Amino acid sequence: MIPEESHRSDLDDLIDTLLKHFDEKDAAREESLRLSRIVIRLSSTAIRATHRRERSEAESLLKDAREHLTAIKSLLATHQDVRYSGFVDDAEQEFVEASVLFSLIFEGRMPTHEDLGVDPVSYLGGLGDLTGELRRSILELIRSGRPEDGEVLLEIMEEIYHMLMRFDYPDAIMRGLRRKTDLARSMIERTRGDITNALQIQSLEKHITLLEDKLKGTYSDL
């Protein structure tokens, strides 16, 4: 028979060990959650800076965001259940969206998930979100009278969509990627229509201008 005092001592030690484990996990989660919010805010601000073509500002913001993501990885290295609870994915995806947009606009290249140091699924999810920002850039080009420049970005949107379509795995693995892929397809269709309409209007305006000039020349000869 186990002595009662020994039994209580062992149980107290077990409780203390478990409490310490969950205290550390809770502290790591709270700090990681705080840092994730900062990453999302920095990345969102970097996206706006990139749209304004403020390269140095966007670059600095992305550097800070990457450092915060590194800190999160360190905090959750022994708490992978917390790492994959969702909020870190959100932060990584926002960072991917901002980083790839920056690279496309300023460097003409698309960094890999290894370049950015993020989870592969978060990378793909960030690319799915990126199509919305590319559409935003295209609409701005249309408003500024440069729809033909938007065709290049539309091609990138289509390439991203076809890339995402290749990853046809269960949602338990891809964590919502299929929904983002469907949204990307919808945005591409709308954007293609916007560019087509803008180019047609632009062509019509040119023909009207030519006609007006021709009529002015005809009347001036009378």
Side-chain angles (χ1 to χ4, degrees):
M1 183 176 180
I2 301 176
E4 185 176 348
E5 291 185 1
S6 175
H7 174 68
R8 287 179 179 174
S9 177
D10 290 343
L11 186 58
D12 288 342
D13 289 344
L14 174 59
I15 291 172
D16 287 343
T17 299
L18 290 173
L19 284 173
K20 180 181 178 182
H21 170 76
F22 286 107
D23 282 344
E24 290 174 351
K25 185 183 293 289
D26 183 55
R29 178 187 178 280
E30 289 299 317
E31 179 62 9
S32 297
L33 189 57
R34 184 185 72 84
L35 293 175
S36 293
R37 293 193 187 104
I38 294 175
V39 170
I40 290 173
R41 185 170 66 250
L42 290 169
S43 299
S44 179
T45 307
I47 288 173
R48 291 196 295 273
T50 298
H51 282 304
R52 295 192 299 266
R53 300 302 189 268
E54 298 171 353
R55 178 168 184 166
S56 60
E57 175 68 10
E59 198 166 25
S60 176
L61 290 163
L62 290 173
K63 181 175 180 294
D64 288 346
R66 183 190 284 266
E67 289 174 355
H68 282 78
L69 279 176
T70 300
I72 291 172
K73 288 181 185 177
S74 178
L75 281 167
L76 300 181
T78 57
H79 303 290
Q80 291 297 290
D81 54 335
V82 178
R83 158 64 185 87
Y84 289 102
S85 62
F87 65 88
V88 179
D89 285 345
D90 293 340
E92 283 195 335
Q93 289 174 23
E94 191 78 16
F95 174 70
V96 169
E97 184 181 2
S99 298
V100 176
L101 179 66
F102 175 91
S103 295
L104 287 173
I105 296 298
F106 293 116
E107 300 170 353
R109 68 180 188 90
M110 182 179 291
T112 67
H113 70 283
E114 293 174 334
D115 293 331
L116 301 179
V118 299
D119 177 83
V121 177
S122 294
Y123 176 76
L124 294 173
L127 291 184
D129 292 333
L130 176 63
T131 57
E133 291 302 326
L134 292 174
R135 171 173 167 78
R136 177 181 169 187
S137 292
I138 290 170
L139 293 177
E140 184 58 37
L141 288 170
I142 290 174
R143 281 191 289 269
S144 62
R146 298 162 53 200
E148 64 282 355
D149 291 339
E151 291 183 299
V152 176
L153 295 181
L154 178 61
E155 288 179 5
I156 295 174
M157 289 177 69
E158 292 174 334
E159 289 175 3
I160 290 174
Y161 168 71
H162 291 302
M163 173 184 176
L164 297 181
M165 282 289 292
R166 307 245 344 238
F167 296 90
D168 187 21
Y169 297 98
D171 200 56
I173 296 175
M174 305 311 295
R175 305 197 292 273
L177 181 64
R178 183 170 299 178
R179 179 182 60 82
K180 292 190 177 187
T181 302
D182 291 340
L183 287 172
R185 179 180 60 189
S186 175
M187 280 188 285
I188 288 170
E189 291 172 353
R190 295 202 307 272
T191 305
R192 186 183 295 113
D194 292 332
I195 290 178
T196 299
N197 290 337
L199 288 172
Q200 289 174 342
I201 291 171
Q202 189 179 72
S203 177
L204 180 60
E205 289 174 343
K206 288 180 180 178
H207 281 85
I208 290 174
T209 300
L210 289 172
L211 180 59
E212 289 176 344
D213 291 342
K214 186 175 181 180
L215 289 172
K216 287 178 182 178
T218 300
Y219 282 115
S220 64
D221 291 338
L222 295 179

